[in-house]
Amino acid sequence: MSFSFYNTLGRSKQLFKPLKEGAIGFYGCGPTVYNYAHIGNLRAYVLHDILVRSLRRFGYDVNHVMNITDVGHLSDDADDGDDKMVKSAEERGKSVLEIADYYTQAFFKDTDRMNIVRPTVVCKATEHISEMIALIQQIEKNGFTYFAGGNLYFDISKFPSYGELAMLRLDDLKAGARIEQDENKRNACDFVLWFTKSKFANQALVWDSPWGKGYPGWHIECSAMSMKYLGENFDIHAGGIDHIPIHHTNEIAQSEAATGKKPWVSCWLHNEFLVLDKGKMSKSAGGFLTLQSLIDEGFDPLDYRYFLLGGHYRSQLQFSFESLKGARNARKSLLEKVLAVDSGASGDGTSKYTQAFNKAIEDDLNTPRALAELWGLLKDKPALPAIFDMDRILGLGLEEAVKNGNNEVNEAFAKEIEELIAKRAEAKKSKDFATADNIRQNLKNRGIILEDGPAGTIWKRQ
Ligand code: AMP
Ligand code: ZN
């Protein structure tokens, strides 16, 4: 297999060549765990998942590293605003670590429900402070920093290729600098490597460092942890497009300033945004949709996965419940078709679809085309091995569904129904009959009937 990926660095589709034959180092920026992931965030992790599944399917050994940001991320990526973790902890009357723990678990609950394979290494920022300090010391030793107003800054004027990834021009950066500038910064795009007292007097988590008691800037965690687990240079780095101009630009600058080895990462993949009818979705602005809110509306997490696969990761995707319903219907008929396949059917004639499927995947992970090939196979020469093979990448749980001999009944699904039944019971107890009826109706839409009896509520397929 020869994969071509659209590399943001250079803005072109390029033939992918791993640094080391057969083994790939991949780092995907993980969540900031101050709130639930919204469904836009989950689009980013589905891309990481499709990438890893595809590379593994074609024989690569992939070391997939993902960070958990539990310190240092301010509401503005460029060092402005509140600390996201501290603000959330204060609002909820909990400690920062309690908040981090709760939302990290919630995050993996969501990704598991969406069949997103867990990374090989999951690393928390707060557990890698000494690696960050060592890396900052290296950057300092190489002459790329200055200390001002209690913070250690990265000086972008010392790094001539700053902004290459985002194709930023330094003149534009100066002109476009925000009015509310940190006056300690020598250049508008300089960024903090280590904060001490300047920002928040009552910062919850602080560590000793050569620059004083404090905490790291947000960007340094990704450089320090990726290099710890993947080496000074590695193959692929991914995140949402919002990370191109600041976060990833700064990661590159500080990493290459530390090691002197350019390019730090060979290939950069960025997913476009999921947008709502009403516009942008953001965790900090509130009003965002979570996976659970889709489930509460009667959808299966895999309906959402199917919906996402129907768009190419580099195209903006507009979310609406209408289109999610379309995805649900399509997935339902897909399952029906797969369940109807004769398990003894010969695989003759499937290879044309398999080849086209593989071509679509190696062509910058074109999942809409790949899905179309699966449909083509199902309509023409369906055979289970070829279907399951495609699903190793698509991750729609088709093999599991066939094994269970039923559309969707698997453990996760059953657990979800139990949870909804419990919610309905609670709603009834507090006389919120509208919610209770809603839950019953949503389950009915999914073909599940509830029966109330003396021993509680039981559920059945329609
Ligand atoms: P965060 O937890 O805010 O650091 O974001 C986690 C990931 O989600 C990052 O890779 C972001 O770039 C990505 N992301 C944020 N919003 C969206 C969105 N609306 N659509 C797709 N990806 C997003
Ligand atoms: Zn990152």
Side-chain angles (χ1 to χ4, degrees), residues 183-453:
E183 56 196 27
N184 297 312
K185 289 187 182 179
R186 291 181 189 163
N187 310 286
C189 292
D190 289 353
F191 55 94
V192 177
L193 295 165
W194 189 266
F195 287 105
T196 61
K197 56 183 183 286
S198 79
K199 261 296 195 220
F200 309 107
N202 303 322
Q203 182 70 359
L205 299 174
V206 286
W207 292 265
D208 286 325
S209 85
W211 313 280
K213 227 183 198 17
Y215 57 101
W218 173 42
H219 316 293
I220 197 72
E221 70 176 78
C222 288
S223 293
M225 296 195 280
S226 62
M227 290 200 271
K228 171 172 177 169
Y229 296 105
L230 299 171
E232 285 185 342
N233 297 100
F234 57 93
D235 298 292
I236 309 177
H237 195 315
I241 44 158
D242 55 326
H243 284 345
I244 301 172
I246 301 176
H247 184 51
H248 288 166
T249 288
N250 293 351
E251 281 187 35
I252 293 174
Q254 66 201 4
S255 304
E256 292 180 359
T259 66
K261 292 181 190 159
K262 185 173 160 61
W264 175 47
V265 172
S266 316
C267 181
W268 287 84
L269 302 187
H270 289 98
N271 65 278
E272 247 292 353
F273 264 35
L274 177 89
V275 291
L276 295 180
D277 304 347
K278 290 177 228 81
K280 206 178 155 219
M281 179 166 347
S282 101
K283 276 198 232 179
S284 31
F288 61 89
L289 290 170
T290 59
L291 185 65
Q292 188 59 49
S293 60
L294 305 189
I295 294 169
D296 292 345
E297 291 293 325
F299 292 95
D300 186 288
L302 295 184
D303 295 334
Y304 183 52
R305 184 176 174 106
Y306 189 98
F307 168 79
L308 289 178
L309 298 182
H312 186 253
Y313 76 89
R314 282 198 295 116
S315 307
Q316 199 177 78
L317 194 55
Q318 175 113 19
F319 178 84
S320 70
F321 278 100
E322 268 323 295
S323 9
L324 187 59
K325 273 183 201 156
R328 173 168 66 193
N329 292 339
R331 194 178 74 86
K332 196 162 168 256
S333 25
L334 182 82
L335 279 167
E336 277 163 12
K337 284 219 154 14
V338 173
L339 288 163
V341 174
D342 172 4
S343 60
S346 90
D348 296 350
T350 58
S351 71
K352 124 173 159 196
Y353 295 101
T354 305
Q355 276 171 22
F357 178 95
N358 293 348
K359 271 216 155 356
I361 291 295
E362 69 179 359
D363 181 12
D364 200 24
L365 307 172
N366 196 321
T367 54
R369 250 170 60 202
L371 261 185
E373 293 305 331
L374 170 59
W375 274 106
L377 171 69
L378 281 167
K379 286 180 183 156
D380 185 6
K381 296 256 186 243
L384 289 177
I387 295 167
F388 295 162
D389 189 36
M390 290 178 179
D391 200 42
R392 278 175 69 185
I393 292 174
L394 299 175
L396 294 168
L398 301 180
E399 192 163 359
E400 222 176 282
V402 169
K403 251 197 234 151
N404 289 330
N406 205 332
N407 278 9
E408 292 165 318
V409 179
N410 55 37
E411 267 175 47
F413 183 62
K415 202 164 149 234
E416 237 182 82
I417 296 174
E418 294 301 339
E419 279 171 11
L420 287 169
I421 289 177
K423 261 195 181 173
R424 176 171 166 266
E426 248 172 57
K428 274 170 79 175
K429 218 164 123 192
S430 51
K431 304 216 178 317
D432 179 3
F433 298 112
T435 302
D437 286 348
N438 213 5
I439 292 174
R440 175 195 281 275
Q441 186 55 43
N442 282 332
L443 281 170
K444 189 152 182 262
N445 295 345
R446 292 170 77 178
I448 303 296
I449 304 282
L450 302 187
E451 278 178 10
D452 295 320

